[in-house]
Amino acid sequence: DIVMTQSPLSLPVTPGEPASISCRSSQSLLHKNGYNYLDWYLQKPGQPPQLLISLGSTRASGVPDRFSGSGSGTDFTLEISGVEAEDVGIYYCMQALQPPRTFGQGTKVEIK
Amino acid sequence: ELQLVESGGGLIQPGGSLRLSCAASGFTVSRYYMTWVRQAPGKGLQCVSVIYSAGNTYYTDSVKGRFTVSRDNSKNTLFLQMNSLRVDDTAVYYCARGEADYYYGLDVWGQGTAVTVSS
């Protein structure tokens, strides 16, 4: 299975300040079609996960543009340009290149 | 509105069986990659089984031979038959929708159903 490793695991943030989460995969997620099969999800407290970004950098419908994804191969980053209170929760990366799809451990974002 | 609603969870003794259901509305289950994802208490996310639109299935190693994923097209519902349940199967089980014609992530999730395996 492809192992996904996130850092940091905990991220205290100040509202309005930027935040960044790293995700590294044990194998390249770059498909021969040129897309990286890497998603980002946010699980808010008491809720199921919600899709933020797919294919490394494509924002899902309704996701604010303060969220952006970048990276290729084995190294990926989720950036929040200015954190808002509603952004608290646990962020997960997930690879979709090979079954089984595997998630990172999660990064807990909380307001300072 | 696109919606998934899980049911069937509960408290079960080790070795027992449960059948989870995931009723879909707003789209046709058989046209999509559908997956069951579980979350043990205080833990992260794990994809345990998948059924592709073509009907082929996949299971993570820890549930192979014990869990079976299926769908009833007439009811537009996904199922997870769980047999020989173990304490470490305790989790909230979510169903989620994946891709149809092209990849765009797991874009629709249910609220989850809790399974507790305990004596």
Side-chain angles (χ1 to χ4, degrees), chain B residues 30-117:
Chain B
S30 62
R31 292 189 56 223
Y32 289 83
Y33 169 109
M34 298 295 297
T35 185
W36 287 96
V37 176
R38 70 183 178 185
Q39 187 169 36
K43 302 296 184 182
L45 302 168
Q46 181 188 29
C47 290
V48 295
S49 72
V50 164
I51 184 165
Y52 294 86
S53 57
N56 47 320
T57 58
Y58 183 90
Y59 303 91
T60 196
D61 285 347
S62 62
V63 308
K64 278 180 186 175
R66 301 189 298 122
F67 289 12
T68 303
V69 61
S70 63
R71 65 192 181 209
D72 184 330
N73 295 343
S74 67
K75 296 181 179 179
N76 206 28
T77 299
L78 182 73
F79 300 101
L80 185 67
Q81 178 67 43
M82 304 188 297
N83 299 330
S84 304
L85 281 161
R86 309 188 306 215
V87 171
D88 62 357
D89 293 319
T90 294
V92 174
Y93 285 73
Y94 299 100
C95 60
R97 184 184 86 162
E99 62 272 22
D101 300 319
Y102 56 91
Y103 186 79
Y104 43 72
L106 302 177
D107 67 337
V108 182
W109 293 70
Q111 287 297 311
T113 187
V115 173
T116 302
V117 185

